[in-house]
Amino acid sequence: MSAPAPAPATRADVARSVLFAIVFYGGTIGAVLLAPVMALLGPRVILWWGTDWLLFHGWCARVLLRIERRVEGVIPDRPVLYAAKHQSMYETIELAAMLGSPAVLVKRELARIPAWGWAAKRWGVIPVDREGSAAALREMLRAGRAAIDGGRALLIFPEGTRVPTGETPPLRSGFAGLYRMLAVDVVPIALDAGRLWPRRSFVKRAGVVTFRFGETVPAGLPRRVAEARVHAAINALENDAEKPA
């Protein structure tokens, strides 16, 4: 079952959020400015640099915001396609750290940021073209295949954007393309980070975020079957919340 709804934000939550913004974003500026230099030193160096930044975020969330995480289910020890619910910035960074720095699929605009975007792609970020051009799709599939063949998992947020707690939009078409062309198992991830880290809200609340790893969806299923199973699994915590106590 998902955790109970948090209490309204307090003055302490506001103060912690201000401190988090100063420390985390202040440190991130330095990390971003140095990222292109680290990328020039080679793949191992930029991977190490990026992983340290992920861990820095986790420390800031735990110590400054008092946000802890709870993991339910089994995290595979092999390269798979992770498909996660998307409610906040928190899970995009926390999952990348938790899953051992997988190659993360992100919207193309982020990969176009001067200097940083190049470094991010060297780290393993895979741009996603929401317009769905054929060339962009081929490049995405090529990068995804290279990651899997290199022993690295993939992380995708198949809803395409952050959604408020309780909303369950359909999966974007890009997920089906990856699933079919890469012929890889999918592990869906439900989470409830939006309760504590609301979309488009500066104030974060202390509490526990649940990450629920669902049953593996094997490669090779018909598209509708795979999408239905993944959609239900990533929304498992939303479905729990709707059940009477």
Side-chain angles (χ1 to χ4, degrees):
M1 296 291 291
S2 60
T10 65
R11 290 183 179 179
D13 290 324
V14 174
R16 285 193 290 265
S17 297
V18 171
L19 181 59
F20 172 84
I22 294 172
V23 175
F24 175 68
Y25 291 110
T28 295
I29 291 173
V32 169
L33 291 176
L34 285 174
V37 177
M38 296 300 173
L40 286 172
L41 298 177
R44 291 186 179 181
V45 176
I46 189 60
L47 184 60
W48 162 77
W49 186 252
T51 300
D52 268 11
W53 176 76
L54 299 176
L55 297 176
F56 171 62
H57 171 269
W59 181 89
C60 289
R62 289 191 310 275
V63 176
L64 304 181
L65 293 176
R66 297 185 183 178
I67 295 178
E68 299 287 344
R69 73 187 190 198
R70 174 173 57 223
V71 178
E72 300 178 356
V74 178
I75 301 177
D77 58 358
R78 66 187 191 284
V80 297
L81 173 60
Y82 291 101
K85 187 72 180 175
H86 195 14
Q87 294 180 338
S88 70
M89 183 185 79
Y90 176 79
E91 68 270 4
T92 61
I93 303 176
E94 200 69 9
L95 277 173
M98 191 188 312
L99 301 177
S101 298
V104 185
L105 287 93
V106 302
K107 60 184 180 181
R108 181 180 55 181
E109 291 79 3
L110 293 178
R112 287 182 168 177
I113 298 174
W116 182 88
W118 173 78
K121 286 189 285 187
R122 293 272 289 178
W123 181 83
V125 161
I126 300 176
V128 176
D129 182 3
R130 292 181 177 179
E131 300 300 323
S133 70
L137 178 59
R138 287 193 298 270
E139 177 61 22
M140 181 180 70
L141 292 172
R142 185 202 62 77
R145 172 52 61 192
I148 292 292
D149 290 346
R152 198 172 182 185
L154 297 176
L155 173 60
I156 187 174
F157 299 95
E159 293 167 324
T161 188
R162 291 174 296 171
V163 298
T165 299
E167 291 192 6
T168 59
L171 307 186
R172 295 290 184 94
S173 59
F175 164 76
L178 277 174
Y179 173 74
R180 180 174 61 87
M181 298 300 294
L182 297 182
V184 63
D185 293 345
V186 180
V187 175
I189 307 171
L191 52 91
D192 57 0
R195 297 182 309 106
L196 306 179
W197 195 304
R199 180 171 175 254
R200 297 174 182 169
S201 174
F202 174 79
V203 179
K204 289 80 174 171
R205 300 175 178 86
V208 179
V209 173
T210 296
F211 291 89
R212 180 180 295 175
F213 288 77
E215 294 184 4
T216 299
V217 178
L221 295 178
R223 173 177 177 172
R224 290 186 179 180
V225 174
E227 286 187 328
R229 289 180 60 175
V230 169
H231 187 265
I234 69 172
N235 288 299
L237 295 178
E238 270 68 26
N239 294 336
D240 279 355
E242 293 175 359
K243 296 177 183 178

